Amino acid sequence: MSLVLDDVTLTYPDGDGRLTALDSVSLEVPAGRLTAVVGPSGSGKSSLLAVAATLVPPDRGRVVVAGTDTGALDPAGKAALRRERIGIVFQQPNLLASLTAVEQLQVMAHLSGAKPKAVRERALSLLDAVGLADLAGRRPHQLSGGQRQRVTLARALMNEPAVLLVDEPTSALDHERGAAIVSLLAALTRDRGTATILVTHDRTHLATADRTVTVHDGRLSQPPPA
Ligand code: ADP
Ligand code: MG
């Protein structure tokens, strides 16, 4: 199993007390499958991704990424795990304004010690995989919203992550472009074998996912295994 959340509880400070954002959440995300997470605004979807990404430590429970129990890692160990094993795509494409599409991907490999030529080739092949082969030299302002989100998807795959975490990638796109991004995400997940979580508020995307779990007030409900 590429990603396991085991009885995870996460609270945030809230006035004099604590707000429970995740309440005893357990979830197993297999490789090569797209798991959709839906739920109302404020239900804990982004918190679930933040914990899975090791960006926020849970109060209780275990987060296991590609076989590594992340609770045992120090901050440098977590940063290395994130860099090497986890791809993250946020709601807004957070691209660097001065870099071309291919350069956005190349900077991801900056710390890996790989040869620049091999890095560039991998970046170009990933841009091809997301349908942007012809736009590798464009900067963010020369790309549409959907194209920018494709660049962030390709960038997240640059280090061959075991786990891909994607938070409402279509919220700034129209329906058709949003659906195209989700289909692409499903295809990339199967081709590259990533354990992918897609957070979405659009229920029409669920047909594309291998499975759907619902979050309500920090609690998960998932259909029983078929
Ligand atoms: P969703 O992504 O489903 O909209 P979130 O995970 O962002 O939900 O938020 C879950 C709950 O935790 C909400 O009540 C939200 O206000 C609260 N929350 C999220 N992030 C923080 C934070 N950094 N500090 C305090 N409360 C937070
Ligand atoms: Mg959110």
Side-chain angles (χ1 to χ4, degrees), residues 10-14 19-22 37-50 56 91 167-168 199 215 217-218:
L10 172 69
T11 67
Y12 296 114
D14 180 33
L19 180 149
T20 301
L22 296 174
V37 173
V38 290
S41 178
S43 59
K45 303 182 299 298
S46 293
S47 298
L48 185 139
L49 288 196
V56 179
Q91 218 159 330
D167 197 354
E168 306 211 36
V199 167
V215 194
D217 290 336

Side-chain angles (χ1 to χ4, degrees), residues 146-226:
Q147 289 166 342
R148 280 182 221 151
Q149 206 49 296
R150 283 166 193 267
V151 175
T152 63
L153 255 185
R155 182 180 61 182
L157 293 167
M158 196 55 196
N159 293 335
E160 297 183 70
V163 172
L164 182 58
L165 305 171
V166 186
D167 197 354
E168 306 211 36
T170 66
S171 52
L173 305 179
D174 64 40
H175 182 76
E176 202 174 316
R177 274 172 242 272
I181 290 281
V182 172
S183 304
L184 173 64
L185 180 64
L188 291 169
T189 294
R190 285 159 204 152
D191 289 353
R192 290 167 197 270
T194 54
T196 304
I197 299 183
L198 165 68
V199 167
T200 180
H201 60 272
D202 186 340
R203 302 198 73 91
T204 65
H205 294 153
L206 303 185
T208 315
D210 295 300
R211 129 181 113 130
T212 300
V213 298
T214 306
V215 194
H216 260 287
D217 290 336
R219 288 172 176 273
L220 220 66
S221 59
Q222 36 194 323

